[in-house]
Amino acid sequence: MTATEPTILATSAGFRIGVHGLMSTRPGLIHRFAVELAAPRDAPRICFLYQATGDPQDRIGATYAAFADTGYRVSHLQLFPMPNIEDIRSHLLAQDVIWVGGGSVANLVAVWRTHGLDEILHEAWQSGVVLGGVSAGSICWHVGGSTDSFGPRLRGFTDGLGWLPYSNGVHYDAEEQRRPKMHELIGDGTLPDGYATDDGAGLVYRGTRLAEVVADRSGPQGYQLTRQPDGTVRETPLPTRVLSDS
């Protein structure tokens, strides 16, 4: 057991990208916060999953470089073209944090199910491993959300893992289609009521209960989205705690 109860950190936040792109990537405050949620007894173990973008080697390499001098014990699980770890279950259950990168949430969930990873991740969640992620790595734990998995025009995605019985909107303030599409999908009943995050914000779930909203800087917020009887959607900004950079 790492976290004291099943914990998911679903975000629109991630690495700090410097002027040289992947070459100057650094861990984000959100990664440090995920480790704090896990409260490990020794050097934190964090495993990265990048199936939403097909396990690109440049991103995997940049992740190791970003954490090189942090004291974190970093690993990655890839499934393309084949798993790089023989005993996936044992490896993931030994982590403090499992972090899922962005990309195509539809492809991500489909590949996980093909490999039985959905069942392993559920076991890890229940055992206290903190599950976290950004964008597709946020939507995946929910019923669904808005996605560009099928093309540049956003569509509804309703085939998420569904452990969190809500819809999830990501990049809420950063992409002009995101807010109206989430209102549309909840308003017409395609998706259930749920939550959304601006870029830089994250939702902390304890079990299936939203416990807190955090942000890696001042400004980004989380929102509750609730369908009204007339089919409109009430959007309620939620109190959002800014993470300390110290």
Side-chain angles (χ1 to χ4, degrees):
M1 176 68 74
T2 51
T4 56
E5 58 186 308
T7 302
I8 290 177
L9 177 57
T11 85
S12 294
F15 285 95
R16 294 174 170 176
I17 307 298
V19 296
H20 301 295
L22 285 177
M23 292 176 59
S24 53
T25 297
R26 294 293 179 268
L29 289 179
I30 204 72
H31 299 119
R32 187 173 72 188
F33 178 61
V35 169
E36 291 174 0
L37 290 173
R41 295 183 178 89
D42 52 12
R45 295 179 174 90
I46 180 168
C47 183
F48 286 83
L49 279 60
Y50 287 124
Q51 286 76 57
T53 46
D55 293 328
Q57 294 301 305
D58 58 347
R59 182 167 296 188
I60 292 170
T63 298
Y64 281 98
F67 281 92
D69 58 355
T70 63
Y72 288 30
R73 288 178 283 183
V74 175
S75 64
H76 76 285
L77 168 65
Q78 67 185 64
L79 299 177
F80 295 91
M82 66 182 70
N84 64 317
I85 294 171
E86 184 150 353
D87 190 343
I88 293 173
R89 178 180 176 275
S90 293
H91 183 76
L92 293 183
L93 288 175
Q95 303 304 307
D96 298 302
V97 176
I98 297 170
W99 188 268
V100 182
S104 170
V105 66
N107 291 347
L108 172 70
V109 172
V111 170
W112 280 358
R113 287 177 172 141
T114 296
H115 287 267
L117 206 63
D118 53 336
E119 297 178 2
I120 296 171
L121 288 168
H122 189 272
E123 184 180 358
W125 175 48
Q126 291 297 302
S127 73
V129 178
V130 172
L131 304 183
V134 56
S135 194
S138 175
I139 298 170
C140 62
W141 319 112
H142 299 77
V143 172
S146 64
T147 183
D148 55 8
S149 294
F150 309 107
R153 181 175 60 85
L154 293 183
R155 301 186 195 181
F157 173 72
T158 60
D159 198 27
L161 297 176
W163 306 340
L164 303 174
Y166 320 106
S167 59
N168 181 232
V170 295
H171 310 305
Y172 205 56
D173 65 335
E175 301 175 11
E176 62 179 357
Q177 296 182 57
R178 294 287 182 172
R179 179 176 262 111
K181 179 54 70 172
M182 286 300 295
H183 280 237
E184 173 191 326
L185 294 169
I186 294 172
D188 67 14
T190 300
L191 288 172
D193 294 351
Y195 301 97
T197 49
D198 291 336
D199 273 9
L203 308 166
V204 181
Y205 294 96
R206 299 291 194 175
T208 60
R209 174 183 61 88
L210 181 67
E212 185 181 22
V213 183
V214 298
D216 61 12
R217 60 187 181 277
S218 180
Q221 287 184 285
Y223 307 86
Q224 183 175 28
L225 306 176
T226 309
R227 186 180 188 274
Q228 303 302 293
D230 62 359
T232 60
V233 172
R234 176 185 296 161
E235 177 181 304
T236 306
L238 298 171
T240 302
R241 178 170 66 90
V242 178
L243 298 173
S244 172
D245 197 11
S246 59

